[in-house]
Amino acid sequence: MELTGKIIAVLPAAQGVSQRTGNPWMSQEYVIEVPGQYPRKCVFRLFGEDRIKQFNIQSGEELTVSFDIDAHEYNGRWFNEIRAYNVSRMAPGVVPAAPTMAPVAGVQPAAPVVNAAPEANTADDLPF
């Protein structure tokens, strides 16, 4: 999945040592706001110090974020995780395209309205 929007918050990085492997780990969360009539916000996480440094996400940037959504259970409760795997920067001044709706199967689009009556006076350019 992908989202395109503006980074409105860069949260502090979290780090630790894996109990299972003993290797250090690092992750950081970001908040992206997707424009529209009703702007939406989404928190996503980058995992790994190398990716955090590679993407170098800053507040105020316009980005397209590719991510996976997964859920896990902990103590009888379920939690969603939105983990980014790729980030691409938009060219300055480029406005993201508005989302388009896919056609619905079996529904034909409306035909354009055509004025079937010929105009009596073509010299008159008034619209009424």
Side-chain angles (χ1 to χ4, degrees), residues 11-87:
L11 304 176
Q15 55 189 352
V17 177
S18 171
Q19 292 179 356
R20 188 172 48 103
T21 64
N23 295 332
W25 58 267
M26 181 181 222
S27 71
Q28 190 163 11
E29 292 182 329
Y30 306 86
V31 181
I32 188 168
E33 183 176 56
V34 180
Q37 182 178 1
Y38 304 106
R40 306 268 180 174
K41 296 172 187 71
C42 179
V43 175
F44 67 92
R45 176 188 314 256
L46 277 177
F47 191 82
E49 186 175 5
D50 55 335
R51 286 188 184 205
I52 294 169
K53 288 181 179 179
Q54 174 190 357
F55 296 131
N56 191 26
I57 297 173
Q58 303 296 317
S59 185
E61 285 187 297
E62 295 281 336
L63 303 174
T64 297
V65 179
S66 302
F67 58 90
D68 290 322
I69 299 175
D70 194 19
H72 62 276
E73 184 265 337
Y74 179 74
N75 288 340
R77 293 194 56 191
W78 284 88
F79 300 89
N80 288 323
E81 171 132 13
I82 300 173
R83 188 175 290 186
Y85 60 86
N86 192 19
V87 174

Side-chain angles (χ1 to χ4, degrees), residues 1 7-8 55 74 95 118-120:
M1 300 182 88
I7 300 298
I8 61 171
F55 296 131
Y74 179 74
V95 177
E119 293 190 29

